[in-house]
Amino acid sequence: IFSGLNNVKVYSMLHDKYASYFGFTELEVDELLTTANLSVDRDAIKNWYNGYSFGNQLIYNPWSIINCIAESGKLMSYWINTSDNQLIQNLITRASNAVQHKLQTLMTGGSLKQTVSEYVTFEHLNTDQTALWSLLLMSGYLRGANIETHGLLLKVDLSIPNQEVLVFYQYVIMAWLSAYRGSDWYDQFIDNLVIGNIADFETDLQSLIEHSFSFRDVDKKNGERFYHGLMLGLVASLRDRYDIKSNRESGKGLFDAMLIPNDKTDNGIVFEFKVAPSEAELEATAKQALQQIIAKEYMKELQQQGVDNIIKIGIAFAGKQIKVVSET
């Protein structure tokens, strides 16, 4: 009496009970793909849509799997576009430098031990980091593992669950850019790239990196992965005009990134990224990256798809300094 709905037992994604019912298990995904007669690379499916931890279960996003099957196995973001992400984007772009630095760590494939709560209160989102990490975890933008209980709070290892969610964080990079330099600057930056004005593209990229990102924890082990994720974020807005591929086989090896134009008369672009041992070796490392593109014939996929105009770009990074070399 005198109360609303009560006596409800809540099971969040951190509980074991009912964990397998929040999405598809790996066995269920295999059965679905077999029934649909799709010969899709199971590892690629796992990379894109697995990675969610519900209790002790690894779960696939059911909406993404269903749509992937409906689209004959096309790997792309399905779930991330089903709701308005503006709240999440605003929280991340307005977050402190410390929070944004931690997000950069996550985008390199790293993990963070953070305090979270199962009881997220929206009124504290702008002031309490615990609420922010809790929201990102409970809404599917992060994965939790190795849970330690501390009263009502939990210590959890957080990481980005899969490629689909990583694409979202790459879009957030664009929001950082707009906040830093304005949308007109970003549009010009992208135009310089796609039309082949590489000198201005390099100047803008150098300015951006010098003023926008922290590199305190970018070591040799994770460095190339960080810059790789950064560059994919910078070109994310081109997805309506280009098929953006990463770490795919072409020619005699695996390229770092490729932009395949929908209009085959536009320029196709192949990237190879490398971390230079020092600033003095930037140019030599960039040239090495370019020569790798040529020697391993990474352009083959573009050529097979009827793209004649191809820009080959090698980029070397050393902390906040870069060097870009290219060839058409």
Side-chain angles (χ1 to χ4, degrees):
I1 191 169
F2 305 132
S3 65
L5 178 66
N6 58 7
N7 301 325
V8 174
K9 180 65 175 177
V10 177
Y11 293 94
S12 79
M13 64 194 305
L14 301 180
H15 291 261
D16 290 334
K17 197 169 186 178
Y18 307 118
S20 63
Y21 299 99
F22 284 91
F24 294 146
T25 64
E26 189 159 14
L27 178 60
E28 290 169 335
V29 170
D30 285 338
E31 291 177 352
L32 284 167
L33 293 173
T34 300
T35 301
N37 197 27
L38 286 178
S39 57
V40 183
D41 186 336
R42 297 299 202 266
D43 288 337
I45 289 283
K46 186 174 184 178
N47 181 54
W48 267 87
Y49 307 120
N50 197 352
Y52 297 99
S53 292
F54 286 84
N56 59 2
Q57 292 276 348
L58 270 181
I59 295 295
Y60 286 77
N61 186 318
W63 176 260
S64 300
I65 291 296
I66 290 170
N67 279 275
C68 181
I69 291 174
E71 296 295 330
S72 302
K74 185 175 181 180
L75 299 174
M76 59 179 290
S77 296
Y78 295 105
W79 169 75
I80 210 72
N81 294 320
T82 58
S83 64
D84 186 356
N85 300 308
Q86 195 60 50
L87 170 63
I88 302 293
Q89 289 193 33
N90 288 343
L91 289 171
I92 293 175
T93 55
R94 296 172 184 173
S96 66
N97 290 336
V99 170
Q100 293 188 357
H101 180 66
K102 289 178 180 179
L103 287 170
Q104 291 174 25
T105 299
L106 293 173
M107 290 181 66
T108 69
S111 64
L112 301 169
K113 176 74 76 174
Q114 292 293 140
T115 300
V116 301
S117 170
E118 294 182 273
Y119 311 100
V120 180
T121 54
F122 283 84
E123 61 183 312
H124 296 138
L125 283 175
N126 289 312
T127 58
D128 183 359
Q129 285 191 28
T130 297
L132 172 61
W133 297 119
S134 302
L135 177 64
L136 292 174
L137 173 63
M138 298 301 174
S139 54
Y141 292 92
L142 290 174
R143 170 195 175 192
N146 303 321
I147 303 166
E148 302 172 5
T149 303
H150 297 269
L152 293 177
L153 297 178
L154 306 169
K155 286 278 190 178
V156 182
D157 287 337
L158 301 177
S159 59
I160 294 176
N162 52 45
Q163 181 66 30
E164 182 175 35
V165 179
L166 178 60
V167 168
F168 165 76
Y169 285 103
Q170 291 167 353
Y171 272 105
V172 171
I173 290 179
M174 294 164 48
W176 285 343
L177 295 179
S178 295
Y180 165 60
R181 299 291 294 270
S183 58
D184 290 343
W185 179 91
Y186 177 74
D187 291 342
Q188 187 60 54
F189 169 79
I190 287 296
D191 286 343
N192 286 331
L193 171 64
V194 298
I195 68 175
N197 186 357
I198 303 304
D200 286 346
F201 168 77
E202 179 183 24
T203 299
D204 290 340
L205 180 60
Q206 178 65 73
S207 174
L208 171 69
I209 287 178
E210 283 181 355
H211 296 94
S212 298
F213 298 96
S214 171
F215 297 89
R216 287 172 293 176
D217 293 336
V218 178
D219 55 26
K220 291 183 179 179
K221 180 179 178 181
N222 294 320
E224 186 172 322
R225 187 186 301 171
F226 172 82
Y227 292 113
H228 192 146
L230 169 63
M231 292 305 300
L232 289 176
L234 294 178
V235 301
S237 65
L238 289 169
R239 289 186 181 274
D240 59 339
R241 297 162 51 193
Y242 286 81
D243 183 6
I244 301 175
K245 296 191 174 183
S246 173
N247 288 326
R248 296 287 293 274
E249 185 174 343
S250 180
K252 301 175 183 177
L254 298 173
F255 58 77
D256 278 339
M258 178 180 289
L259 306 184
I260 304 175
N262 297 334
D263 183 345
K264 304 309 178 187
T265 63
D266 288 341
N267 290 322
I269 302 172
V270 186
F271 291 99
E272 183 66 26
F273 312 121
K274 290 190 179 297
V275 175
S278 67
E279 291 184 17
E281 299 173 78
L282 272 170
E283 185 166 359
T285 305
K287 289 179 178 178
Q288 181 185 353
L290 177 60
Q291 287 306 310
Q292 182 173 323
I293 294 173
I294 298 169
K296 295 196 174 183
E297 301 178 356
Y298 291 158
M299 311 81 66
K300 284 288 187 181
E301 181 167 353
L302 284 164
Q303 293 167 344
Q304 291 168 357
Q305 296 203 31
V307 179
D308 295 323
N309 303 314
I310 300 173
I311 304 173
K312 301 175 282 291
I313 300 177
I315 306 181
F317 302 88
K320 291 197 172 188
Q321 298 301 310
I322 68 162
K323 181 61 183 176
V324 180
V325 295
S326 65
E327 181 179 297
T328 56

